[in-house]
Amino acid sequence: MNKADIKKELKALYQPPAGKIVQVDVPPMNFIMIDGAGDPNTSPQFADAVAALFSLSYALKFTVKKGPQAVDYGVMPLEGLWWADDMAAFTAGDKSRWQWTMMIMQPRFVDAEMFAAALAEVAKKKKPAALPRVRFEQFIEGPAAQTMHIGPFSEEGPAIRRVHEFIAGLGRRLSGKHHEIYLSDIRKAAPEKWKTVIRQPMA
């Protein structure tokens, strides 16, 4: 059986240095995605979305592992796009008005047909509440700046500002949505050790 270490293959995108801002050019990649709104700390919709995404991602992993390609790989981390219709509410931290797309990247050998099969399997066995809202979609991000934040989510502000200042220093502008990649299992790791990739597309 072949093994694929996707995070290693995409190290530049998923393991930026802490305390340093770097430029990346993010290629088109396929994700399973789900949209929602509200405070991620208190919204049942958010918890349901995350549960559905991981249920599907593991179903796809085992489908590929047992299929003709027989590839074993680690499920990729949870990622989030964040924004608000009124960006003043977003920057002020009014989480009740936040909107989000939560997503998990899928390997290049996972296609829409596999997704449909996994969707049917998970619907039959586990029936996560948010499952009907999950979609399989290519996401194109392109040029971006990013850094690694280590610590609680509530302390991301300075890192985000540094990324924005870096982009302005290049003579470029913010484009697209604030993007975070959650590398730590927050159920197990102490908050001061949480690793989060902070990414901002630019134009």
Side-chain angles (χ1 to χ4, degrees):
M1 178 180 296
N2 296 319
K3 290 193 175 185
D5 188 339
I6 302 166
K7 273 200 287 191
K8 186 176 180 180
E9 292 173 9
L10 299 174
K11 184 177 179 179
L13 300 179
Y14 286 89
Q15 291 290 334
K20 182 180 179 182
I21 315 298
V22 294
Q23 295 184 64
V24 291
D25 193 4
V26 187
M29 294 187 289
N30 291 331
F31 287 81
I32 55 173
M33 315 173 84
I34 185 167
D35 302 321
D39 187 338
N41 297 316
T42 58
S43 168
Q45 185 186 62
F46 183 83
D48 289 344
V50 173
L53 289 173
F54 275 109
S55 293
L56 270 170
S57 291
Y58 278 100
L60 283 162
K61 168 187 167 72
F62 291 118
T63 296
V64 173
K65 189 175 179 180
K66 295 176 182 178
Q69 294 181 340
V71 178
D72 188 17
Y73 63 92
V75 168
M76 294 296 284
L78 182 70
E79 307 187 31
L81 307 176
W82 300 90
W83 73 101
D85 290 334
D86 177 3
M87 287 306 290
F90 183 74
T91 55
D94 183 0
K95 296 180 181 179
S96 66
R97 299 170 68 182
W98 284 7
Q99 298 189 54
W100 39 262
T101 297
M102 304 312 295
M103 55 194 197
I104 297 178
M105 197 275 277
Q106 301 300 311
R108 59 190 177 278
F109 38 78
V110 170
D111 58 24
E113 186 177 342
M114 291 178 182
F115 168 72
L119 198 67
E121 179 185 346
V122 173
K124 184 177 180 181
K125 292 182 178 179
K126 296 185 178 181
K127 299 180 181 177
L131 194 67
R133 298 180 9 239
V134 182
R135 67 185 184 277
F136 181 84
E137 187 175 296
Q138 186 182 71
F139 181 57
I140 302 173
E141 202 161 29
Q146 65 179 32
T147 190
M148 179 78 77
H149 168 71
I150 299 178
F153 304 137
S154 60
E155 297 178 3
E156 290 178 353
I160 295 171
R161 284 193 294 274
R162 288 196 300 271
V163 170
H164 290 184
E165 289 166 359
F166 177 86
I167 292 172
L170 295 175
R172 308 186 78 166
R173 60 180 174 82
L174 309 187
S175 174
K177 294 167 181 170
H178 173 74
H179 187 169
E180 298 187 356
I181 303 172
Y182 307 104
L183 300 177
S184 301
D185 185 341
I186 63 172
R187 299 168 301 175
K188 299 177 181 178
E192 62 269 20
K193 295 183 179 179
W194 292 352
K195 293 182 178 181
T196 307
V197 179
I198 305 292
R199 181 184 296 163
Q200 175 62 52
M202 56 186 177

